[in-house]
Amino acid sequence: MKNYPLSIQIWMVFALITLCISILLVFVLPLTLRDFFTKEIYETIESAQDLLINRIDRDYSEDDFSSDSFSEKKQIENIRTVNHFMIYGNNTIFITSPTISIDFLSEVREKIETQNASSQRYSGQINSRKMFYVISRGKIWDHDVYLVSYMWDSYRDDLVHTLFRRLVVVMTFILLLSWIPAIFLSRYLSKPLVALERRVKKLANHEWDESFQLDRKDEIGELGDSIEQLRNQLLKQDESQQSFLQHVSHELKTPVMVIRSYSQAIRDGIYPKGNLDCTLQVIDNESERLEKRIGNLLYLTKLDYLSLHNTSKEIFALDELIREVVERLRWRRNELDWFVKLEPIKIKGDIEQWIVVLENLLDNQIRYSNTKISIFLTKSIEDDNEKALLKLWNDGAPIEDKIMERLFDKFNKGYKGQFGLGLAIVYRIVTLHDSKIWAKNEEEGVSFYVEIPLSENKN
């Protein structure tokens, strides 16, 4: 069935369910009706008995029943198709037309002798016909009598067959009428799904420009909204990829051109920087820049891979790691005034990645600072969650608004920026550790903040 169109599958499922219900009713309903009408027969018999006893005691005398002509002249008509006969002493009086055998009368007399209740229900078989009867003990003309009332199962079967035939006709009519709207319902449900399938095919073919909206608020509408979000993300990713390729080609092309041009000049016996050593130094510097840029690109690719896979993390002292990185980098500008205040805090993470974060952030501070750099590491509790806050401040110029908006994007460089990947790498690593990073222009200088959750570090 899965190879058929969705509308056909929905209709077939609906038709199969209704058909199974109908078949189940065909087998269950007769049994249910038989049980129901059997109870109704016994209640009808008992009700007829009550009416008959009251009538006999009121309208007839014992002499009327002892008369031989009673059955011919004063025979009491059936009450609700119930037949009766009465036993008192050794006498058996047929109140209605006798259609029973002597054997059955003997069976009834035996049950009367063993019956303790005032009224009891029985069933029996007479000449391949089933009978339902009730034996009730009462008092008429100051005599103890037993009234036996009975009905044949043909009455019940006729009721069951009549009602069942009518129900079958009604159910068949309902099934035929229900399958018609089921076709329209299946088409109504499958139509938006077909539209979504076409939209997904367009996305697979890189046709991302056309927006897609479904005017629905149900699960299908939510699926359409998710596909539209996917389209927007793919569109942004495509734009980002195009921009990435443009920046990469531009950033790598410059040092390659310098290296090739200087190499060609040396081959022709020309030294652009005056002598061979200075010219080779330029080639070496450009090669170093090229190597660093390629390394950053590879590291970004590595972070993309790590974001999809679990990495091993360890608990380490963040304050000690900050001091080590500061001691290694502060020599780059010995004239800067450093102020470092760190609380002892341990975090859980990849120590090599946090070294990259600190190196890139401090390199950024050193590059833009005028005279001072301050580093603070504190611990705080917010909404019962313990967090560590790292603040790096320098007294350099404020960051321009247009740069601040895309500060952590790839290839977003300030006026002293080198390659535009350092802060992008920092942001990616911090995000991988479920932490936050942001920058803020202070009244004097610029601060970078890194917020690190500590709750999981206790485990």
Side-chain angles (χ1 to χ4, degrees):
M1 190 173 68
K2 63 182 180 180
N3 297 323
Y4 291 102
L6 183 60
S7 59
I8 300 298
Q9 293 186 46
I10 295 174
W11 180 84
M12 290 178 66
V13 169
F14 184 85
L16 184 61
I17 292 174
T18 55
L19 187 60
C20 289
I21 293 175
S22 302
I23 295 175
L24 183 63
L25 289 176
V26 166
F27 290 99
V28 174
L29 195 58
L31 298 177
T32 304
L33 290 176
R34 285 180 182 276
D35 291 339
F36 172 76
F37 283 120
T38 299
K39 294 179 181 178
E40 286 295 312
I41 285 176
Y42 281 118
E43 291 178 0
T44 299
I45 294 174
E46 292 168 347
S47 177
Q49 279 188 336
D50 293 337
L51 291 174
L52 182 62
I53 290 175
N54 293 331
R55 185 174 179 182
I56 292 174
D57 194 37
R58 184 184 69 245
D59 298 337
Y60 297 91
S61 66
E62 186 175 3
D63 295 334
D64 293 329
F65 280 85
S66 63
S67 172
D68 294 336
S69 62
F70 174 79
S71 60
E72 299 177 359
K73 297 180 179 179
K74 295 185 178 180
Q75 191 176 71
I76 300 175
E77 68 274 9
N78 292 351
I79 301 176
R80 300 179 184 176
T81 70
V82 181
N83 299 291
H84 311 272
F85 62 92
M86 191 166 57
I87 298 176
Y88 70 101
N90 294 323
N91 298 323
T92 301
I93 300 174
F94 292 97
I95 300 174
T96 56
S97 300
T99 55
I100 55 177
S101 63
I102 300 300
D103 294 336
F104 177 71
L105 286 175
S106 301
E107 180 182 340
V108 169
R109 287 183 177 276
E110 292 177 359
K111 290 183 177 178
I112 287 175
E113 293 177 359
T114 60
Q115 178 174 312
N116 296 322
S118 59
S119 179
Q120 192 162 338
R121 298 173 178 179
Y122 299 95
S123 64
Q125 200 82 13
I126 300 178
N127 298 328
S128 72
R129 296 178 65 192
K130 189 169 185 178
M131 172 191 289
F132 303 98
Y133 62 98
V134 176
I135 302 176
S136 297
R137 184 174 63 241
K139 219 170 193 38
I140 299 177
W141 316 305
D142 296 327
H143 292 284
D144 289 331
V145 298
Y146 288 91
L147 180 61
V148 182
S149 304
Y150 60 91
M151 294 179 67
W152 299 102
D153 64 345
S154 57
Y155 175 75
R156 179 194 64 176
D157 292 342
D158 289 342
L159 289 175
V160 171
H161 292 157
T162 300
L163 184 57
F164 181 69
R165 283 195 299 268
R166 292 181 180 180
L167 286 176
V168 168
V169 173
V170 172
M171 288 170 54
T172 303
F173 184 70
I174 291 175
L175 287 176
L176 293 177
L177 289 182
S178 63
W179 287 354
I180 296 174
I183 296 175
F184 293 100
L185 176 63
S186 62
R187 291 180 179 177
Y188 172 76
L189 293 176
S190 62
K191 184 177 180 180
L193 295 177
V194 172
L196 291 175
E197 185 263 343
R198 292 173 181 171
R199 170 54 55 186
V200 172
K201 280 186 177 180
K202 288 187 177 182
L203 293 180
N205 294 328
H206 292 195
E207 299 178 19
W208 302 332
D209 296 331
E210 182 181 355
S211 62
F212 180 74
Q213 297 291 338
L214 281 178
D215 188 18
R216 300 174 67 107
K217 301 299 181 182
D218 55 5
E219 289 81 0
I220 297 178
E222 292 178 0
L223 178 59
D225 293 339
S226 299
I227 292 178
E228 177 63 16
Q229 293 178 6
L230 175 62
R231 185 192 71 86
N232 292 328
Q233 292 178 359
L234 290 174
L235 192 60
K236 292 180 180 178
Q237 184 176 350
D238 183 62
E239 293 175 353
S240 176
Q241 185 177 11
Q242 295 297 329
S243 176
F244 176 81
L245 292 175
Q246 291 175 3
H247 281 89
V248 168
S249 61
H250 173 75
E251 294 291 340
L252 297 183
K253 181 174 64 175
T254 301
V256 170
M257 290 178 59
V258 172
I259 292 172
R260 290 194 63 187
S261 60
Y262 273 55
S263 299
Q264 186 65 41
I266 293 174
R267 185 178 299 172
D268 295 337
I270 302 173
Y271 306 111
K273 289 298 182 179
N275 57 55
L276 179 61
D277 290 338
C278 293
T279 302
L280 291 176
Q281 185 62 45
V282 172
I283 294 176
D284 185 62
N285 292 338
E286 292 297 325
S287 299
E288 184 180 357
R289 288 179 59 198
L290 182 61
E291 181 182 11
K292 185 176 181 180
R293 293 175 183 181
I294 294 175
N296 285 335
L297 288 172
L298 293 175
Y299 197 79
L300 268 178
T301 304
K302 177 182 177 181
L303 292 177
D304 289 336
Y305 170 82
L306 293 177
S307 64
L308 302 175
H309 298 78
N310 294 326
T311 57
S312 59
K313 296 181 180 180
E314 58 181 302
I315 297 177
F316 62 92
L318 181 60
D319 55 308
E320 295 179 2
L321 184 64
I322 294 174
R323 288 191 181 93
E324 292 177 5
V325 177
V326 168
E327 291 300 321
R328 283 195 292 108
L329 298 184
R330 67 189 308 166
W331 62 267
R332 293 185 182 179
R333 292 184 63 184
N334 291 327
E335 75 277 11
L336 293 178
D337 183 16
W338 290 74
F339 178 79
V340 180
K341 184 178 181 181
L342 308 174
E343 292 185 18
I345 295 177
K346 291 185 177 182
I347 67 171
K348 185 176 182 180
D350 189 316
I351 189 170
E352 295 299 328
Q353 292 182 13
W354 278 105
I355 290 176
V356 173
V357 169
L358 295 173
E359 288 177 347
N360 284 331
L361 287 176
L362 287 174
D363 180 73
N364 190 76
Q365 300 295 312
I366 293 171
R367 191 181 314 120
Y368 289 98
S369 175
N370 292 328
T371 60
K372 300 177 182 178
I373 293 178
S374 298
I375 303 174
F376 302 90
L377 180 62
T378 58
K379 185 185 300 183
S380 63
I381 299 178
E382 182 180 345
D383 298 332
D384 295 331
N385 295 320
E386 197 173 16
K387 300 179 180 179
L389 182 65
L390 172 63
K391 176 183 177 182
L392 301 97
W393 172 86
N394 69 81
D395 60 347
I399 301 174
E400 299 177 10
D401 291 339
K402 64 179 182 180
I403 295 178
M404 182 72 80
E405 292 176 357
R406 303 180 65 248
L407 186 62
F408 298 101
D409 292 348
K410 290 177 287 190
F411 306 110
N412 183 40
K413 296 187 294 184
Y415 70 95
K416 292 184 180 179
Q418 294 182 346
F419 193 31
L421 285 180
L423 291 181
I425 292 175
V426 168
Y427 180 82
R428 190 70 59 84
I429 294 175
V430 169
T431 303
L432 285 175
H433 287 80
D434 298 324
S435 303
K436 300 178 182 178
I437 183 171
W438 67 94
K440 180 181 178 183
N441 288 322
E442 309 287 1
E443 293 182 1
E444 180 184 357
V446 179
S447 296
F448 280 78
Y449 296 88
V450 180
E451 186 181 77
I452 309 167
L454 298 178
S455 56
E456 66 175 19
N457 300 335
K458 297 179 180 180
N459 298 332

